[in-house]
Amino acid sequence: MRERKFMGNSSKRKIKVKLRKEDASDVLEFCLSPNQTINLNQDNQEAIKSMFCTLISILKDTDVVLELETEKNFDSDLMKEVAADYIRDLNIEIDNVRTKILKEYSTDN
């Protein structure tokens, strides 16, 4: 399988995701260009969609892994767990999308 050689961790672009407080809200800040934030205390599908579209555009060129970093003074263990689960699930979805992109590319050539 040709696409598997691109899936190793050494070739993945690492994108930092910061869990932090912003005013009274818990947010995930994705260190993209430009940075994008998702408020974990609100249902904001547009912010999630925008962030995922940005990730998909990156996936066309390189493999990606998200790495969670928690602000030092962040004190909610529950939100830390929620954020870790969210990033873990998002990394699984990113791998699935990347695999589909590579399969489509290999069938087109």
Side-chain angles (χ1 to χ4, degrees), residues 7 44 49 60 71 75 96 100:
M7 299 300 285
N44 188 345
K49 181 180 174 183
K60 291 177 183 176
E71 198 173 58
D75 60 355
N96 291 337
K100 288 178 185 177

Side-chain angles (χ1 to χ4, degrees), residues 24-80:
S25 297
D26 305 305
V27 299
L28 286 174
E29 179 180 10
F30 290 78
C31 298
L32 300 165
S33 183
N35 287 356
Q36 296 184 22
T37 59
I38 294 177
N39 186 328
L40 296 175
N41 307 112
Q42 296 177 350
D43 182 21
N44 188 345
Q45 295 298 313
E46 285 302 313
I48 294 169
K49 181 180 174 183
S50 174
M51 179 273 305
F52 202 71
C53 286
T54 301
L55 288 175
I56 288 174
S57 69
I58 295 169
L59 285 172
K60 291 177 183 176
D61 298 322
T62 188
D63 211 353
V64 170
V65 64
L66 302 176
E67 294 185 336
L68 182 62
E69 178 181 286
T70 304
E71 198 173 58
K72 289 181 183 178
N73 60 349
F74 193 86
D75 60 355
S76 173
D77 289 337
L78 176 62
M79 291 311 290
K80 287 178 187 178

Side-chain angles (χ1 to χ4, degrees), residues 12 17 34 53 73 88 106:
K12 289 187 177 188
V17 182
C53 286
N73 60 349
R88 185 192 67 241
S106 67

